[in-house]
């Protein structure tokens, strides 16, 4: 059974482990150390001004995501699902939960690695539309960014 809730500090070590496993799948394609070697201090700092959600499958943390509102734009990052639990709709459920939290935002914004075809397909399936390509970004990764408007764009 899948449950999504706000992360607690005691979840942080498991969040980092899952994040390392999920982003570790791209090692060799991209430089992933920024995501696979994040520290507890970093996630504690993030938790001060960002919302961190976790997904639990039968009581075990199997995924997470972080987001915050910047001027009406909900910025989403570090969506991670344990490789052993991928393909069960956990990433989609986390993204849908963000929309409930981000009711005061007019737009959702998320980026993924250009070669992460599974992620690209998921975002498209959830109604996100490509917004920009960011070549040679963090550690030379090529990113594609998506947006979804919660209210009509003006």
């Amino acid at each position: 059974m899948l449950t999504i809730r706000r992360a607690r500090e005691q979840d942080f070590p498991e969040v980092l482990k899952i994040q390392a496993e999920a982003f570790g799948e791209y090692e060799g394609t991209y430089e992933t150390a920024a995501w696979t070697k994040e520290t507890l201090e970093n996630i504690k700092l993030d938790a001060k001004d960002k919302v961190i959600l976790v997904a639990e499958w039968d009581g075990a943390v199997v995924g997470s995501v972080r987001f915050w509102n910047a001027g009406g734009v909900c910025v989403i990052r570090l969506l991670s699902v344990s490789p052993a639990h991928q393909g069960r709709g956990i990433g989609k459920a986390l993204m849908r939960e963000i929309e409930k939290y981000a009711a005061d935002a007019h737009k959702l914004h998320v980026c993924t690695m250009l070669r992460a075809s599974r992620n690209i397909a998921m975002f498209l399936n959830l109604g996100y539309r490509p917004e920009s390509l960011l070549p040679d970004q963090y550690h030379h990764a090529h990113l594609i960014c998506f947006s979804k408007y919660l209210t009509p764009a003006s």
Side-chain angles (χ1 to χ4, degrees), residues 4-133:
I4 302 207
R5 62 171 173 79
R6 283 188 82 136
R8 298 182 289 263
E9 191 168 335
Q10 61 262 34
D11 297 319
F12 294 169
E14 193 64 21
V15 166
L16 293 177
K17 177 180 174 271
I18 291 163
Q19 184 178 299
E21 291 172 355
F23 284 97
E25 290 188 330
Y26 297 100
E27 190 62 48
T29 303
Y30 293 107
E31 167 54 49
T32 61
W35 306 300
T36 59
K37 303 207 183 302
E38 185 179 15
T39 65
L40 275 174
E41 292 76 28
N42 291 122
I43 194 171
K44 286 177 185 178
L45 281 173
D46 255 7
K48 289 181 179 183
D49 62 355
K50 296 170 181 65
V51 176
I52 303 174
L53 297 179
V54 294
E56 289 182 322
W57 190 273
D58 292 334
V61 174
V62 297
S64 69
V65 67
R66 302 178 206 183
F67 61 96
W68 66 96
N69 190 330
V73 176
C74 178
V75 180
I76 304 163
R77 64 186 287 266
L78 295 170
L79 175 64
S80 308
V81 175
S82 163
H85 290 82
Q86 290 177 6
R88 301 180 191 191
I90 296 167
K92 285 181 183 179
L94 283 163
M95 293 298 294
R96 286 185 181 116
E97 190 70 15
I98 290 170
E99 292 184 26
K100 295 176 188 174
Y101 276 84
D104 57 342
H106 67 276
K107 176 182 176 181
L108 301 164
H109 177 80
V110 64
C111 297
T112 191
M113 295 168 281
L114 192 55
R115 293 186 187 170
S117 58
R118 260 189 332 222
N119 297 353
I120 292 168
M122 178 187 69
F123 293 131
L124 291 170
N125 181 269
L126 287 169
Y128 287 75
R129 293 298 165 246
E131 186 173 72
S132 59
L133 292 174

